[in-house]
């Protein structure tokens, strides 16, 4: 893990306040506090799903406050599908699946823009089916092995 030097981490493309304002706009939330609640809940849930270099690299792209929320969650031993992610987050926050899906889309749209296309592709490769749509991306089918 420490064999190869990593380039000096670049400063995130936006501050935490800017991220909250973007999520507030994307989610049409009435207050900054409501946007912050969504950001904290979704990033904590995402932190329970991501591992390895993708987790570290995503944390580097986020504002410090957001990175701390992402990395404070210990990854689960079982990864959830995209729909499982929504249901689990709804149960943890007391929301409905519909409002949780809305919150997730608003937050992960901002995360996707901060991560950039290459890192986002790596993240989606690591996660089970159903996450691309949560990040606002097309859900491409993975190649299936040919039947014998």
């Amino acid at each position: 893990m420490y064999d190869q030097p990593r380039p000096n981490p670049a400063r995130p493309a936006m501050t935490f306040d800017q991220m909250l304002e973007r999520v507030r706009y994307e989610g049409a939330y009435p207050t900054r506090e409501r946007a912050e609640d969504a950001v904290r809940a979704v990033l904590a849930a995402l932190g329970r799903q991501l591992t390895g270099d993708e987790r570290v690299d995503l944390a580097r792209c986020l504002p410090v406050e957001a990175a701390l929320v992402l990395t404070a969650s210990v990854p689960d031993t079982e990864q959830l599908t995209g729909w499982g992610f929504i249901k689990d987050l709804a149960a943890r926050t007391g929301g409905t699946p519909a409002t949780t899906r809305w919150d997730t889309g608003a937050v992960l749209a901002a995360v996707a823009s901060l991560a950039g296309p290459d890192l986002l592709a790596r993240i989606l490769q690591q996660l089970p089916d159903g996450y691309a749509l949560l990040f606002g991306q097309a859900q491409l089918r993975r190649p299936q092995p040919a039947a014998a």
Side-chain angles (χ1 to χ4, degrees), residues 41-52 55 70-81 84-89 91-92 126-128 131:
V42 172
L43 287 179
L46 184 61
R48 290 190 291 274
Q49 298 301 305
L50 281 179
T51 61
R55 179 183 171 105
L70 177 82
T71 58
S73 298
V74 175
D76 287 341
T77 56
E78 182 181 332
Q79 283 190 318
L80 301 170
T81 63
F85 179 87
I86 295 298
K87 290 190 309 186
D88 180 66
L89 184 55
R92 289 175 187 264
Q126 182 189 111
L127 295 170
Y131 282 87

PDB file of all heavy atoms in Angstrom, residues 41-52 55 70-81 84-89 91-92 126-128 131:
ATOM      1  N   ALA A  41     -25.903  11.895   5.924  1.00  0.00           N
ATOM      2  CA  ALA A  41     -26.499  10.556   5.913  1.00  0.00           C
ATOM      3  C   ALA A  41     -26.023   9.742   4.706  1.00  0.00           C
ATOM      4  O   ALA A  41     -25.621   8.577   4.853  1.00  0.00           O
ATOM      5  CB  ALA A  41     -28.021  10.663   5.917  1.00  0.00           C
ATOM      6  N   VAL A  42     -26.043  10.355   3.530  1.00  0.00           N
ATOM      7  CA  VAL A  42     -25.674   9.631   2.309  1.00  0.00           C
ATOM      8  C   VAL A  42     -24.184   9.307   2.295  1.00  0.00           C
ATOM      9  O   VAL A  42     -23.783   8.190   1.942  1.00  0.00           O
ATOM     10  CB  VAL A  42     -26.096  10.420   1.051  1.00  0.00           C
ATOM     11  CG1 VAL A  42     -25.544   9.776  -0.219  1.00  0.00           C
ATOM     12  CG2 VAL A  42     -27.615  10.517   0.989  1.00  0.00           C
ATOM     13  N   LEU A  43     -23.338  10.241   2.702  1.00  0.00           N
ATOM     14  CA  LEU A  43     -21.897   9.961   2.706  1.00  0.00           C
ATOM     15  C   LEU A  43     -21.532   8.891   3.734  1.00  0.00           C
ATOM     16  O   LEU A  43     -20.664   8.054   3.483  1.00  0.00           O
ATOM     17  CB  LEU A  43     -21.098  11.237   2.951  1.00  0.00           C
ATOM     18  CG  LEU A  43     -21.047  12.213   1.785  1.00  0.00           C
ATOM     19  CD1 LEU A  43     -20.243  13.444   2.150  1.00  0.00           C
ATOM     20  CD2 LEU A  43     -20.475  11.552   0.533  1.00  0.00           C
ATOM     21  N   ALA A  44     -22.191   8.892   4.877  1.00  0.00           N
ATOM     22  CA  ALA A  44     -21.940   7.843   5.870  1.00  0.00           C
ATOM     23  C   ALA A  44     -22.340   6.481   5.306  1.00  0.00           C
ATOM     24  O   ALA A  44     -21.619   5.487   5.465  1.00  0.00           O
ATOM     25  CB  ALA A  44     -22.687   8.139   7.162  1.00  0.00           C
ATOM     26  N   ALA A  45     -23.477   6.440   4.618  1.00  0.00           N
ATOM     27  CA  ALA A  45     -23.940   5.188   4.015  1.00  0.00           C
ATOM     28  C   ALA A  45     -22.989   4.736   2.902  1.00  0.00           C
ATOM     29  O   ALA A  45     -22.677   3.546   2.785  1.00  0.00           O
ATOM     30  CB  ALA A  45     -25.350   5.348   3.488  1.00  0.00           C
ATOM     31  N   LEU A  46     -22.524   5.670   2.090  1.00  0.00           N
ATOM     32  CA  LEU A  46     -21.576   5.325   1.030  1.00  0.00           C
ATOM     33  C   LEU A  46     -20.271   4.817   1.631  1.00  0.00           C
ATOM     34  O   LEU A  46     -19.657   3.883   1.114  1.00  0.00           O
ATOM     35  CB  LEU A  46     -21.332   6.533   0.121  1.00  0.00           C
ATOM     36  CG  LEU A  46     -20.435   6.295  -1.086  1.00  0.00           C
ATOM     37  CD1 LEU A  46     -21.033   5.242  -2.017  1.00  0.00           C
ATOM     38  CD2 LEU A  46     -20.211   7.600  -1.835  1.00  0.00           C
ATOM     39  N   GLY A  47     -19.856   5.420   2.735  1.00  0.00           N
ATOM     40  CA  GLY A  47     -18.644   4.961   3.416  1.00  0.00           C
ATOM     41  C   GLY A  47     -18.751   3.530   3.905  1.00  0.00           C
ATOM     42  O   GLY A  47     -17.740   2.838   4.037  1.00  0.00           O
ATOM     43  N   ARG A  48     -19.969   3.057   4.165  1.00  0.00           N
ATOM     44  CA  ARG A  48     -20.166   1.668   4.577  1.00  0.00           C
ATOM     45  C   ARG A  48     -20.080   0.703   3.398  1.00  0.00           C
ATOM     46  O   ARG A  48     -20.012  -0.503   3.588  1.00  0.00           O
ATOM     47  CB  ARG A  48     -21.518   1.509   5.284  1.00  0.00           C
ATOM     48  CG  ARG A  48     -21.570   2.162   6.643  1.00  0.00           C
ATOM     49  CD  ARG A  48     -22.819   1.809   7.440  1.00  0.00           C
ATOM     50  NE  ARG A  48     -24.047   2.374   6.882  1.00  0.00           N
ATOM     51  CZ  ARG A  48     -24.495   3.598   7.146  1.00  0.00           C
ATOM     52  NH1 ARG A  48     -23.811   4.394   7.953  1.00  0.00           N
ATOM     53  NH2 ARG A  48     -25.622   4.024   6.615  1.00  0.00           N
ATOM     54  N   GLN A  49     -20.077   1.237   2.170  1.00  0.00           N
ATOM     55  CA  GLN A  49     -20.046   0.391   0.974  1.00  0.00           C
ATOM     56  C   GLN A  49     -18.704   0.383   0.252  1.00  0.00           C
ATOM     57  O   GLN A  49     -18.360  -0.589  -0.392  1.00  0.00           O
ATOM     58  CB  GLN A  49     -21.143   0.836   0.001  1.00  0.00           C
ATOM     59  CG  GLN A  49     -22.541   0.700   0.545  1.00  0.00           C
ATOM     60  CD  GLN A  49     -22.886  -0.720   0.930  1.00  0.00           C
ATOM     61  OE1 GLN A  49     -22.771  -1.635   0.116  1.00  0.00           O
ATOM     62  NE2 GLN A  49     -23.294  -0.924   2.171  1.00  0.00           N
ATOM     63  N   LEU A  50     -17.959   1.467   0.354  1.00  0.00           N
ATOM     64  CA  LEU A  50     -16.691   1.586  -0.386  1.00  0.00           C
ATOM     65  C   LEU A  50     -15.507   1.088   0.432  1.00  0.00           C
ATOM     66  O   LEU A  50     -15.454   1.309   1.647  1.00  0.00           O
ATOM     67  CB  LEU A  50     -16.431   3.043  -0.758  1.00  0.00           C
ATOM     68  CG  LEU A  50     -17.184   3.604  -1.940  1.00  0.00           C
ATOM     69  CD1 LEU A  50     -16.811   5.062  -2.153  1.00  0.00           C
ATOM     70  CD2 LEU A  50     -16.922   2.807  -3.199  1.00  0.00           C
ATOM     71  N   THR A  51     -14.561   0.479  -0.262  1.00  0.00           N
ATOM     72  CA  THR A  51     -13.321   0.021   0.372  1.00  0.00           C
ATOM     73  C   THR A  51     -12.143   0.365  -0.538  1.00  0.00           C
ATOM     74  O   THR A  51     -12.325   0.804  -1.667  1.00  0.00           O
ATOM     75  CB  THR A  51     -13.349  -1.505   0.600  1.00  0.00           C
ATOM     76  OG1 THR A  51     -13.478  -2.160  -0.675  1.00  0.00           O
ATOM     77  CG2 THR A  51     -14.483  -1.928   1.526  1.00  0.00           C
ATOM     78  N   GLY A  52     -10.960   0.149  -0.014  1.00  0.00           N
ATOM     79  CA  GLY A  52      -9.746   0.215  -0.815  1.00  0.00           C
ATOM     80  C   GLY A  52      -9.388   1.591  -1.339  1.00  0.00           C
ATOM     81  O   GLY A  52      -9.738   2.619  -0.766  1.00  0.00           O
ATOM     82  N   ARG A  55     -12.099   4.271  -2.008  1.00  0.00           N
ATOM     83  CA  ARG A  55     -12.535   4.997  -0.806  1.00  0.00           C
ATOM     84  C   ARG A  55     -11.552   6.123  -0.481  1.00  0.00           C
ATOM     85  O   ARG A  55     -11.946   7.258  -0.220  1.00  0.00           O
ATOM     86  CB  ARG A  55     -12.645   4.008   0.349  1.00  0.00           C
ATOM     87  CG  ARG A  55     -13.060   4.609   1.667  1.00  0.00           C
ATOM     88  CD  ARG A  55     -13.060   3.502   2.731  1.00  0.00           C
ATOM     89  NE  ARG A  55     -13.229   3.992   4.056  1.00  0.00           N
ATOM     90  CZ  ARG A  55     -14.348   3.905   4.762  1.00  0.00           C
ATOM     91  NH1 ARG A  55     -15.407   3.331   4.247  1.00  0.00           N
ATOM     92  NH2 ARG A  55     -14.408   4.373   5.978  1.00  0.00           N
ATOM     93  N   LEU A  70     -17.444  10.443   5.262  1.00  0.00           N
ATOM     94  CA  LEU A  70     -17.294   9.245   4.434  1.00  0.00           C
ATOM     95  C   LEU A  70     -16.416   8.205   5.113  1.00  0.00           C
ATOM     96  O   LEU A  70     -16.757   7.020   5.160  1.00  0.00           O
ATOM     97  CB  LEU A  70     -16.698   9.616   3.074  1.00  0.00           C
ATOM     98  CG  LEU A  70     -16.413   8.443   2.138  1.00  0.00           C
ATOM     99  CD1 LEU A  70     -17.687   8.019   1.422  1.00  0.00           C
ATOM    100  CD2 LEU A  70     -15.331   8.808   1.131  1.00  0.00           C
ATOM    101  N   THR A  71     -15.296   8.630   5.659  1.00  0.00           N
ATOM    102  CA  THR A  71     -14.327   7.679   6.203  1.00  0.00           C
ATOM    103  C   THR A  71     -14.594   7.291   7.652  1.00  0.00           C
ATOM    104  O   THR A  71     -13.951   6.383   8.166  1.00  0.00           O
ATOM    105  CB  THR A  71     -12.898   8.231   6.073  1.00  0.00           C
ATOM    106  OG1 THR A  71     -12.815   9.489   6.749  1.00  0.00           O
ATOM    107  CG2 THR A  71     -12.516   8.404   4.607  1.00  0.00           C
ATOM    108  N   ALA A  72     -15.531   7.950   8.319  1.00  0.00           N
ATOM    109  CA  ALA A  72     -15.848   7.600   9.708  1.00  0.00           C
ATOM    110  C   ALA A  72     -16.636   6.295   9.789  1.00  0.00           C
ATOM    111  O   ALA A  72     -16.630   5.633  10.830  1.00  0.00           O
ATOM    112  CB  ALA A  72     -16.636   8.727  10.375  1.00  0.00           C
ATOM    113  N   SER A  73     -17.291   5.913   8.708  1.00  0.00           N
ATOM    114  CA  SER A  73     -18.080   4.679   8.695  1.00  0.00           C
ATOM    115  C   SER A  73     -17.194   3.496   8.338  1.00  0.00           C
ATOM    116  O   SER A  73     -16.449   3.540   7.368  1.00  0.00           O
ATOM    117  CB  SER A  73     -19.205   4.771   7.672  1.00  0.00           C
ATOM    118  OG  SER A  73     -20.079   5.807   8.003  1.00  0.00           O
ATOM    119  N   VAL A  74     -17.307   2.446   9.119  1.00  0.00           N
ATOM    120  CA  VAL A  74     -16.563   1.215   8.846  1.00  0.00           C
ATOM    121  C   VAL A  74     -17.289   0.470   7.726  1.00  0.00           C
ATOM    122  O   VAL A  74     -18.515   0.307   7.782  1.00  0.00           O
ATOM    123  CB  VAL A  74     -16.495   0.332  10.112  1.00  0.00           C
ATOM    124  CG1 VAL A  74     -15.825  -0.993   9.818  1.00  0.00           C
ATOM    125  CG2 VAL A  74     -15.796   1.075  11.226  1.00  0.00           C
ATOM    126  N   PRO A  75     -16.562   0.027   6.696  1.00  0.00           N
ATOM    127  CA  PRO A  75     -17.227  -0.694   5.605  1.00  0.00           C
ATOM    128  C   PRO A  75     -17.925  -1.963   6.103  1.00  0.00           C
ATOM    129  O   PRO A  75     -17.395  -2.683   6.943  1.00  0.00           O
ATOM    130  CB  PRO A  75     -16.089  -1.029   4.649  1.00  0.00           C
ATOM    131  CG  PRO A  75     -15.047   0.001   4.928  1.00  0.00           C
ATOM    132  CD  PRO A  75     -15.152   0.269   6.408  1.00  0.00           C
ATOM    133  N   ASP A  76     -19.127  -2.198   5.578  1.00  0.00           N
ATOM    134  CA  ASP A  76     -19.876  -3.411   5.897  1.00  0.00           C
ATOM    135  C   ASP A  76     -19.211  -4.610   5.235  1.00  0.00           C
ATOM    136  O   ASP A  76     -18.546  -4.480   4.208  1.00  0.00           O
ATOM    137  CB  ASP A  76     -21.316  -3.305   5.391  1.00  0.00           C
ATOM    138  CG  ASP A  76     -22.172  -2.354   6.219  1.00  0.00           C
ATOM    139  OD1 ASP A  76     -21.791  -2.047   7.369  1.00  0.00           O
ATOM    140  OD2 ASP A  76     -23.221  -1.915   5.707  1.00  0.00           O
ATOM    141  N   THR A  77     -19.440  -5.771   5.809  1.00  0.00           N
ATOM    142  CA  THR A  77     -18.876  -6.988   5.227  1.00  0.00           C
ATOM    143  C   THR A  77     -19.667  -7.446   4.011  1.00  0.00           C
ATOM    144  O   THR A  77     -19.159  -8.164   3.172  1.00  0.00           O
ATOM    145  CB  THR A  77     -18.843  -8.124   6.265  1.00  0.00           C
ATOM    146  OG1 THR A  77     -20.166  -8.319   6.771  1.00  0.00           O
ATOM    147  CG2 THR A  77     -17.897  -7.789   7.406  1.00  0.00           C
ATOM    148  N   GLU A  78     -20.933  -7.026   3.924  1.00  0.00           N
ATOM    149  CA  GLU A  78     -21.773  -7.385   2.791  1.00  0.00           C
ATOM    150  C   GLU A  78     -22.174  -6.124   2.039  1.00  0.00           C
ATOM    151  O   GLU A  78     -22.746  -5.205   2.620  1.00  0.00           O
ATOM    152  CB  GLU A  78     -23.030  -8.094   3.287  1.00  0.00           C
ATOM    153  CG  GLU A  78     -23.946  -8.556   2.196  1.00  0.00           C
ATOM    154  CD  GLU A  78     -25.184  -9.239   2.752  1.00  0.00           C
ATOM    155  OE1 GLU A  78     -25.129  -9.812   3.841  1.00  0.00           O
ATOM    156  OE2 GLU A  78     -26.221  -9.171   2.070  1.00  0.00           O
ATOM    157  N   GLN A  79     -21.865  -6.093   0.749  1.00  0.00           N
ATOM    158  CA  GLN A  79     -22.249  -4.933  -0.054  1.00  0.00           C
ATOM    159  C   GLN A  79     -23.717  -5.024  -0.454  1.00  0.00           C
ATOM    160  O   GLN A  79     -24.231  -6.102  -0.734  1.00  0.00           O
ATOM    161  CB  GLN A  79     -21.385  -4.832  -1.308  1.00  0.00           C
ATOM    162  CG  GLN A  79     -20.007  -4.278  -1.044  1.00  0.00           C
ATOM    163  CD  GLN A  79     -19.295  -3.969  -2.330  1.00  0.00           C
ATOM    164  OE1 GLN A  79     -19.354  -4.734  -3.289  1.00  0.00           O
ATOM    165  NE2 GLN A  79     -18.621  -2.840  -2.375  1.00  0.00           N
ATOM    166  N   LEU A  80     -24.361  -3.884  -0.475  1.00  0.00           N
ATOM    167  CA  LEU A  80     -25.764  -3.791  -0.848  1.00  0.00           C
ATOM    168  C   LEU A  80     -25.893  -3.385  -2.303  1.00  0.00           C
ATOM    169  O   LEU A  80     -25.066  -2.634  -2.820  1.00  0.00           O
ATOM    170  CB  LEU A  80     -26.463  -2.743   0.025  1.00  0.00           C
ATOM    171  CG  LEU A  80     -26.426  -2.973   1.527  1.00  0.00           C
ATOM    172  CD1 LEU A  80     -26.946  -1.735   2.261  1.00  0.00           C
ATOM    173  CD2 LEU A  80     -27.224  -4.203   1.906  1.00  0.00           C
ATOM    174  N   THR A  81     -26.951  -3.844  -2.955  1.00  0.00           N
ATOM    175  CA  THR A  81     -27.261  -3.355  -4.300  1.00  0.00           C
ATOM    176  C   THR A  81     -27.691  -1.895  -4.165  1.00  0.00           C
ATOM    177  O   THR A  81     -27.901  -1.397  -3.047  1.00  0.00           O
ATOM    178  CB  THR A  81     -28.411  -4.158  -4.924  1.00  0.00           C
ATOM    179  OG1 THR A  81     -29.587  -3.958  -4.125  1.00  0.00           O
ATOM    180  CG2 THR A  81     -28.075  -5.636  -5.032  1.00  0.00           C
ATOM    181  N   GLY A  84     -30.886  -1.899  -2.308  1.00  0.00           N
ATOM    182  CA  GLY A  84     -30.611  -2.251  -0.915  1.00  0.00           C
ATOM    183  C   GLY A  84     -30.014  -1.075  -0.156  1.00  0.00           C
ATOM    184  O   GLY A  84     -30.312  -0.857   1.027  1.00  0.00           O
ATOM    185  N   PHE A  85     -29.177  -0.307  -0.831  1.00  0.00           N
ATOM    186  CA  PHE A  85     -28.579   0.893  -0.252  1.00  0.00           C
ATOM    187  C   PHE A  85     -29.669   1.881   0.157  1.00  0.00           C
ATOM    188  O   PHE A  85     -29.666   2.421   1.263  1.00  0.00           O
ATOM    189  CB  PHE A  85     -27.630   1.523  -1.280  1.00  0.00           C
ATOM    190  CG  PHE A  85     -26.957   2.788  -0.848  1.00  0.00           C
ATOM    191  CD1 PHE A  85     -25.774   2.746  -0.140  1.00  0.00           C
ATOM    192  CD2 PHE A  85     -27.487   4.029  -1.178  1.00  0.00           C
ATOM    193  CE1 PHE A  85     -25.129   3.919   0.241  1.00  0.00           C
ATOM    194  CE2 PHE A  85     -26.860   5.199  -0.801  1.00  0.00           C
ATOM    195  CZ  PHE A  85     -25.669   5.145  -0.088  1.00  0.00           C
ATOM    196  N   ILE A  86     -30.637   2.100  -0.742  1.00  0.00           N
ATOM    197  CA  ILE A  86     -31.739   3.033  -0.469  1.00  0.00           C
ATOM    198  C   ILE A  86     -32.584   2.525   0.698  1.00  0.00           C
ATOM    199  O   ILE A  86     -32.912   3.285   1.619  1.00  0.00           O
ATOM    200  CB  ILE A  86     -32.613   3.235  -1.729  1.00  0.00           C
ATOM    201  CG1 ILE A  86     -31.816   3.909  -2.847  1.00  0.00           C
ATOM    202  CG2 ILE A  86     -33.879   4.025  -1.399  1.00  0.00           C
ATOM    203  CD1 ILE A  86     -31.316   5.297  -2.529  1.00  0.00           C
ATOM    204  N   LYS A  87     -32.945   1.256   0.679  1.00  0.00           N
ATOM    205  CA  LYS A  87     -33.782   0.699   1.753  1.00  0.00           C
ATOM    206  C   LYS A  87     -33.070   0.761   3.108  1.00  0.00           C
ATOM    207  O   LYS A  87     -33.685   1.125   4.112  1.00  0.00           O
ATOM    208  CB  LYS A  87     -34.184  -0.740   1.431  1.00  0.00           C
ATOM    209  CG  LYS A  87     -35.165  -0.848   0.284  1.00  0.00           C
ATOM    210  CD  LYS A  87     -35.760  -2.235   0.117  1.00  0.00           C
ATOM    211  CE  LYS A  87     -34.728  -3.325   0.070  1.00  0.00           C
ATOM    212  NZ  LYS A  87     -35.299  -4.646  -0.229  1.00  0.00           N
ATOM    213  N   ASP A  88     -31.779   0.443   3.119  1.00  0.00           N
ATOM    214  CA  ASP A  88     -31.007   0.489   4.365  1.00  0.00           C
ATOM    215  C   ASP A  88     -30.915   1.917   4.894  1.00  0.00           C
ATOM    216  O   ASP A  88     -31.123   2.166   6.080  1.00  0.00           O
ATOM    217  CB  ASP A  88     -29.605  -0.094   4.131  1.00  0.00           C
ATOM    218  CG  ASP A  88     -28.746  -0.068   5.390  1.00  0.00           C
ATOM    219  OD1 ASP A  88     -29.088  -0.789   6.353  1.00  0.00           O
ATOM    220  OD2 ASP A  88     -27.748   0.678   5.401  1.00  0.00           O
ATOM    221  N   LEU A  89     -30.626   2.855   4.008  1.00  0.00           N
ATOM    222  CA  LEU A  89     -30.508   4.253   4.420  1.00  0.00           C
ATOM    223  C   LEU A  89     -31.857   4.790   4.902  1.00  0.00           C
ATOM    224  O   LEU A  89     -31.915   5.514   5.900  1.00  0.00           O
ATOM    225  CB  LEU A  89     -29.955   5.105   3.269  1.00  0.00           C
ATOM    226  CG  LEU A  89     -29.691   6.575   3.558  1.00  0.00           C
ATOM    227  CD1 LEU A  89     -28.770   6.754   4.771  1.00  0.00           C
ATOM    228  CD2 LEU A  89     -29.089   7.248   2.334  1.00  0.00           C
ATOM    229  N   ALA A  91     -34.222   3.075   6.332  1.00  0.00           N
ATOM    230  CA  ALA A  91     -34.464   2.487   7.655  1.00  0.00           C
ATOM    231  C   ALA A  91     -33.626   3.184   8.727  1.00  0.00           C
ATOM    232  O   ALA A  91     -34.107   3.431   9.840  1.00  0.00           O
ATOM    233  CB  ALA A  91     -34.146   0.995   7.622  1.00  0.00           C
ATOM    234  N   ARG A  92     -32.394   3.540   8.399  1.00  0.00           N
ATOM    235  CA  ARG A  92     -31.510   4.197   9.365  1.00  0.00           C
ATOM    236  C   ARG A  92     -31.942   5.633   9.667  1.00  0.00           C
ATOM    237  O   ARG A  92     -31.745   6.122  10.768  1.00  0.00           O
ATOM    238  CB  ARG A  92     -30.071   4.200   8.862  1.00  0.00           C
ATOM    239  CG  ARG A  92     -29.408   2.848   8.877  1.00  0.00           C
ATOM    240  CD  ARG A  92     -28.023   2.925   8.237  1.00  0.00           C
ATOM    241  NE  ARG A  92     -27.402   1.644   8.076  1.00  0.00           N
ATOM    242  CZ  ARG A  92     -26.538   1.112   8.936  1.00  0.00           C
ATOM    243  NH1 ARG A  92     -26.192   1.777  10.020  1.00  0.00           N
ATOM    244  NH2 ARG A  92     -26.011  -0.072   8.708  1.00  0.00           N
ATOM    245  N   GLN A 126     -16.565  -1.203  -8.536  1.00  0.00           N
ATOM    246  CA  GLN A 126     -16.449  -1.884  -7.245  1.00  0.00           C
ATOM    247  C   GLN A 126     -17.814  -2.214  -6.642  1.00  0.00           C
ATOM    248  O   GLN A 126     -17.975  -3.226  -5.972  1.00  0.00           O
ATOM    249  CB  GLN A 126     -15.662  -1.016  -6.253  1.00  0.00           C
ATOM    250  CG  GLN A 126     -15.458  -1.668  -4.908  1.00  0.00           C
ATOM    251  CD  GLN A 126     -14.882  -0.738  -3.875  1.00  0.00           C
ATOM    252  OE1 GLN A 126     -15.567  -0.381  -2.943  1.00  0.00           O
ATOM    253  NE2 GLN A 126     -13.627  -0.362  -4.040  1.00  0.00           N
ATOM    254  N   LEU A 127     -18.780  -1.344  -6.865  1.00  0.00           N
ATOM    255  CA  LEU A 127     -20.092  -1.501  -6.228  1.00  0.00           C
ATOM    256  C   LEU A 127     -20.995  -2.442  -7.031  1.00  0.00           C
ATOM    257  O   LEU A 127     -20.852  -2.546  -8.248  1.00  0.00           O
ATOM    258  CB  LEU A 127     -20.761  -0.134  -6.092  1.00  0.00           C
ATOM    259  CG  LEU A 127     -20.060   0.846  -5.152  1.00  0.00           C
ATOM    260  CD1 LEU A 127     -20.671   2.237  -5.292  1.00  0.00           C
ATOM    261  CD2 LEU A 127     -20.127   0.361  -3.718  1.00  0.00           C
ATOM    262  N   PRO A 128     -21.953  -3.099  -6.350  1.00  0.00           N
ATOM    263  CA  PRO A 128     -22.913  -3.955  -7.064  1.00  0.00           C
ATOM    264  C   PRO A 128     -23.816  -3.136  -7.993  1.00  0.00           C
ATOM    265  O   PRO A 128     -23.798  -1.903  -7.979  1.00  0.00           O
ATOM    266  CB  PRO A 128     -23.744  -4.583  -5.940  1.00  0.00           C
ATOM    267  CG  PRO A 128     -22.959  -4.402  -4.695  1.00  0.00           C
ATOM    268  CD  PRO A 128     -22.127  -3.165  -4.905  1.00  0.00           C
ATOM    269  N   TYR A 131     -26.011   1.234  -8.593  1.00  0.00           N
ATOM    270  CA  TYR A 131     -25.440   2.481  -8.093  1.00  0.00           C
ATOM    271  C   TYR A 131     -25.267   3.534  -9.169  1.00  0.00           C
ATOM    272  O   TYR A 131     -25.278   4.723  -8.877  1.00  0.00           O
ATOM    273  CB  TYR A 131     -24.087   2.226  -7.407  1.00  0.00           C
ATOM    274  CG  TYR A 131     -24.240   1.672  -6.030  1.00  0.00           C
ATOM    275  CD1 TYR A 131     -24.360   0.310  -5.815  1.00  0.00           C
ATOM    276  CD2 TYR A 131     -24.273   2.509  -4.923  1.00  0.00           C
ATOM    277  CE1 TYR A 131     -24.513  -0.214  -4.551  1.00  0.00           C
ATOM    278  CE2 TYR A 131     -24.423   2.000  -3.646  1.00  0.00           C
ATOM    279  CZ  TYR A 131     -24.538   0.636  -3.463  1.00  0.00           C
ATOM    280  OH  TYR A 131     -24.700   0.140  -2.206  1.00  0.00           O
TER     281      TYR A 131
END
